[in-house]
Amino acid sequence: MTFLSPGRLWLLALVPLLIGAYLLMQARRRQAAVRFTNLALLAQVAPRRPGWRRHLAATLFLLSIILMTVGFARPAKPVKVPRERATIIVAIDVSLSMKATDVSPTRLDAAKTAAKKFVQDLPIRFNVGLVSFSGSASAVVAPTFDREAVGHAIDGLQLGKGTAIGEAVFTSLQSIRSFDARANQDPPPSHIVLLSDGDNQSGRSVTEAASAARAAKVPVSTIAFGTPYGTVDIDGETVPVQVNKTTLRNLAHDTTGKAYEAQAGGELSEVYRHIGSSLGFRIERQEAASQYIFVALLLALAAGGLSLVWFQRLP
């Protein structure tokens, strides 16, 4: 059991003060009875003492205060919530060659648009993660159902030097293996969608990446952006950046994925059509204050009812 507002539990420190005040009142009541010297007359004129009944009503009332204080601190209990584990990782090339304008408005902007549409069109059951790569690769968004967060992350991608397609695949595989506690031994059914102009320049080779993806049974589908006539300006110099469709096609073929070109983005529904389902669980803390408050209400009603029946007053 945890508390979402544990600072409110300090109010429980008042409970001993209430107990002390109650015991002091009982002691004073007994002292007042002793001061009445004619005990025989006192027994005749005084009403029958309520004894344990008075203490029961007070105890119930005190317990209700304790439970209401606990409820005020917002107790929460861990609950297992079913979660679909099927995952798609979108890996986007942000190398400098992606600023070429041979694909309108630029290769990168076209890749962002295609990736966002793909993510938005995915069935809700899929988790989506985002990896970006230039000279190295990094996991930008861990697999999530939050399409809006992935879309915002895609919009925020910035260009960098170099291209590391192999590292992008390895980083995507690592993101899949980090999905949940059982992912290392039982990885979720997954697929990688890699958007690039296809020229691997740094990091591990595409062949190594394909072997790793094949061993993990994770297909890699690729989308090639660019034409043989692309150029970019780097430090005032015009540099040709031809698209390398062969690299992307081989990567897809070696991992049982599909190879597409930018114009064929609509066919990407095939990527997720055959991905299986695997249910897992995530632990959520669900607030349980209402349960404590309900029991406290019952105790308060019991204390008030008994006090009215026995003493014709509320405690």
Side-chain angles (χ1 to χ4, degrees), residues 224-296:
F225 287 84
T227 70
Y229 315 107
T231 60
V232 295
D233 291 330
I234 299 178
D235 298 328
E237 182 181 352
T238 299
V239 179
V241 284
Q242 296 182 3
V243 62
N244 190 337
K245 297 179 183 179
T246 302
T247 297
L248 297 176
R249 189 181 302 114
N250 290 341
L251 174 58
H253 178 268
D254 292 345
T255 60
T256 69
K258 298 286 186 179
Y260 303 100
E261 296 186 17
Q263 294 81 3
E267 299 173 14
L268 280 173
S269 59
E270 295 181 16
V271 166
Y272 56 79
R273 187 170 296 157
H274 302 296
I275 296 180
S277 176
S278 172
L279 283 180
F281 296 91
R282 67 180 184 274
I283 302 299
E284 287 188 355
R285 291 193 302 170
Q286 291 189 356
E287 194 167 336
S290 59
Q291 301 173 18
Y292 288 85
I293 294 173
F294 175 70
V295 176

Side-chain angles (χ1 to χ4, degrees), residues 50 53-54 56-58 60-61 299-315:
R53 292 179 298 173
R54 179 176 67 248
L56 177 60
L60 292 176
F61 184 70
L299 291 176
L301 290 173
L306 293 176
S307 185
L308 285 174
V309 171
W310 288 338
F311 316 122
Q312 291 76 52
R313 62 181 174 83
L314 290 173

Side-chain angles (χ1 to χ4, degrees), residues 133-155:
F133 63 98
S134 51
S136 59
S138 61
V140 180
V141 179
T144 177
F145 286 127
D146 191 345
R147 307 290 197 258
E148 187 175 351
V150 177
H152 285 320
I154 292 174
D155 285 334

Side-chain angles (χ1 to χ4, degrees), residues 106-135:
T106 67
R107 293 178 182 180
L108 180 59
D109 288 331
K112 286 182 177 182
T113 299
K116 288 173 64 177
K117 184 179 187 310
F118 173 68
V119 169
Q120 291 168 359
D121 291 345
L122 276 176
I124 190 61
R125 76 180 182 94
F126 288 104
N127 298 276
V128 186
L130 178 64
V131 167
S132 70
F133 63 98
S134 51

